[in-house]
Amino acid sequence: MNTRQSKHNMAPVSTVVKNAISDLAKISDGERLREALLSLKSYLGTGENSAQTQETTEFNRNHYTPVLEFLVAQMGPQWLDLLTSERLELWDSFFLEGPPDQAFLVLMDSLGKTGPSIRLDRCVHVLERFLQRGALAEVIWEVCQQQLESNPTSVLHEAILGRISSLPDHLANCLQQHNKPLFYPKNYYPRLAGSIIRVLQMVSDALRDGKNCSISFASQVVGKVCMQGRQKELLSVLVPRLKSLVQSDCIWQRICWRLLESVPDRWMEPVLTGIVQTAPGAEVLSQLLGDLVVKNKRTQFLLTKKMLFLQYGLKKDALQSILGYLSLDASRRHLLVKVLRELLEVWSSGSVVKHSPHPQLLHVSRCLLICLGLLNKQEIESCKQDLLVSLTSGARNYLDSSVPTTRRMGMVVAECLSHHIDTEGPGLSFQYEEDEDTRDLKALLKPPHMVETDSADFVKRPVESSPSKSPLSSPEVREKSKVKVKADQASDSDLDSDDDLVPYDMSADTELKKSKAPAYIRDCIEVLLSDDVEKLEVTMASLATLIQANTLATKEVSMELAKILLHIDEKPSVARFTELRHAALVAVTVTDPVTVSQYLTSEFYSLNYSLRQRMDILDVLSSAAQSLSEKPSHETSAESGSINTDPHSIRSTAWTSSEVPVNWRKVVEERIASKTRRFAKGHSAATPVPAPNRYHAVAGHFFFPLIQNYDRQIVTFDLLGEDRLVLGRMVHTLGILMHLTLNAPIASQMGKALLEFVWVLRSHTDAFVRQGLLFCISTVLLSVPWEHLMTDMAEEVVETQCWLAEVAERDSDDDCRRLALNGLFLMEKLRSNIQGNP
C-alpha cells in the first residue's frame, strides 16, 4: 500500500486515474477489483491513506464525475459476481463520500439513461441512502458556496435545481410501479424542507463567524418547488420551523427575509400564495416577510392587487392575514388605505356587479370589510368622501341585481359602510334574511384577535357562573347549596299550589269577528271595493274557498274579480294579505282559465304597472298552470271515500268508539286470514280513476301571449333593458309553463317557439336571465318527444347544443355552467335512449 501511495505521489493525478480506469475495465478478479477501487478512493480524502489536499482538489474538480460515470457503466452482472457486500459498500462510498453535487447529478442522469436492470437497482439504492443521510442539504450548501465564486457555473446549477425540484417525477417515470416510498412527493418534499432548514442553519453559523454567505440557490429551490404546485408539502414543514426560529433570533429573521427576497420574480407568486395560506395569522406573516411588500414591486403587486382582486379562491383567513400584515407596521399602512380606495371602486362598479360571478363579488366584499375593520378613525376620515361616493353608486347596483344572494350581500356591505361613514348617525338598514354568509361578512369587521378574545370569554362565562359544575368548588360550598335546596323545597310545599290543575287547551281558539264571511261572490266584490278593514280581512280569508265552491258564479265576474285583486292596494292591517290575494287570484284563474289568463297576459305588457304587479302576474300564471295540471281534489276525495266498502265498517259508524259491538264473523275472518298462506296477492288499493289534464287544453292561452311581446319597449317597462329582473322571472315562468305540457299535443309548437326565444336572448349579460334560458332548454327536452325535436326543429336543437357547450366551457357563472352541463347530459341521454330502442 505504501508503494502504491508513493507511485501516486510521483505520477500526475490524471495519469493515475486513466490507468486505474483502464485496469478496472479488464479486471476479472474480486480482490484486484477491491484494490483498484481503494487506490481511486484515496483521492477522495476520506480514508486513512488519503492523497494530498492539492491532489484531492484536482481529482474532485476534474476526475470525480468521469470516475462515477465509469463505475455506473461497469455495474452489471459481471461486476455483481465479483462484488461481495463489503465491496458493494466500497462502490457505494464513491457516491456517498465525494462532492455531493456531482454525485447527485451522476445518479440522477444514470437513472434517466438506464432501463430496468441491476445497474438501475443499484443506483436507486445508492440514491435512497444519499437522501436518507441528509445529503440534499450538502448539495444545496455546496451550490450556495459556489455562487460566491467569481465565475459560477450557472448551467450546472440549473441542472441541479431541476433535479432537486422534480426528483419525485423523475423517479416515478423511471421506476413506475416499483417506485420507493421515500421518493413519493408526500415524503420527499418535507425531507427537502428539512434540508433547507439545515442549510439556513449553516448560513446562520457562518454569519456568526463573520463569513460571507449566499442563499440565493436555496431561494431558487423554494421558488421552483412551489411553482410546480408542491407548496403544501414544502411549506407545511418550512413555515412552522421558520416561525419558531425567527421569534427568538434577529439573525434568523434577517436570513428568512433574505430567503424570500431572493426568490426570482417568476416564482414569487406561488411562494407568496403558499406562505399566505400556511402562515397562521398576520403576525406570523409579518415576521416572515418583513417589509418585502415595500421593497419588492412584484410582491406589492401580488399582495395588494392580484390576491385581493383576482384570486377569489383564497379563504377569509388568508385575506385577514394579508390585510392584517399591511396594517401591522406604519411603513405599510399607506398601502392599506390605497387598497381600500381600490376595493371601493371595484365594489361599486356596475360592470363588476353585472358580469362577475358571485364568489368573486363575495371575495371583494370580504376584503372591503376586513379593510374597514383594520383602519383607524383618522384613516377612515381621510377616505370618507370615497366611502360616500361608493356607497351611493354601489348600493344601487347591488339592489338592481337579479341574483338574491348578490342583493343580500350588497345590503350587508352598504349597512357597514354607512355606519363607518357616520358612527353617531342612524345609518342604512335593510330587511333581509340572515344566513351564514351575512353573519360571516359582519364578523369580518372585527380583527381576528378581537374575535378570539370575545369567543374565549363567552366560553368561560357559563362555566364560571355554574357552581355545580365547577371543579374548584369546596365541600363546604356544596353542602351549603344542598341545605339551601332542601329549605326551598320545604317552603314550596307549605304554599298553596295549583300546579296539579290541567290548563285548558286554547290553541284552537280564534278571535271573534263582528263581520261574517260573505256567502256570494258579488258580495265579496263589494267588500273588496269598500274601506271596511275588518270585513276585508274576513272576506280575504274565505275568498279562495268561496271561488272554488261557486265556479258558475265566479265565471260570470271572473275578469272583474281578477282586475280588483290585481289592483288592490297592500293592506298591512290584514294578516297574510299577500298570500290570501295570491291564492284568490290563482283560484279565479283555475276556475276560468281562458278569460283570466288572456287578461293577465295582456296586462303584463300594459302601461302604468309596477314591477311588483308584473311579477305577481307571473307567479299567478305559473301557480294556476300547476293547479290545472294536477288532479282535481274532489275526485281524489271521492276515490278515497270509495275504497272502504265493507258493510260491517259502514254499519259500525253508527256506534261510538266505546260502544262498538264485537262482530264474531269479522273476528273469525281475521283469524283465518292471518293463518292462510298466499303465494300471490292482488292489488289491495283501488285503481286510480283517470282524469284529463285540464291545463293541456288551455296551455296556449297561458304561453303564447306571454312570449310574443317581450321585445316591445314601453315607457315604463323595458324588459330588454334595465328591467332584467322581471325578464328573468318571465323566462323561468315560460319554462314552468313548458314543463307542464308533458304529453300535450301543443308541446311541440310551444317548444319550437321557446327555442327561438332562447336563441334570441342567449347572449344576455345578466346571469339570472341566462339561468332561466338554460332552464327553458331543459324543460323543452323533457316535454317534447325526441323524435319530434329531431324532425320538426333539428336545426334549432343543433344550434342549442353548440351554445350549451360554449356556456359550459366559458360562462363566468357557476350555476349557468352547471345547467348547461345538465342540458348536454340530458340531450345525450335522450339520444342514446332512441338509439338503444329504435
Side-chain angles (χ1 to χ4, degrees), residues 178-194:
H178 305 288
N179 200 2
K180 304 285 186 179
L182 180 65
F183 305 137
Y184 293 169
K186 64 179 181 180
N187 298 327
Y188 171 75
Y189 289 110
R191 185 180 293 274
L192 177 60

Side-chain angles (χ1 to χ4, degrees), residues 17-27 70:
V17 171
K18 184 177 180 181
N19 294 334
I21 290 177
S22 178
D23 294 341
L24 285 171
K26 304 173 183 177
I27 288 176
F70 171 77

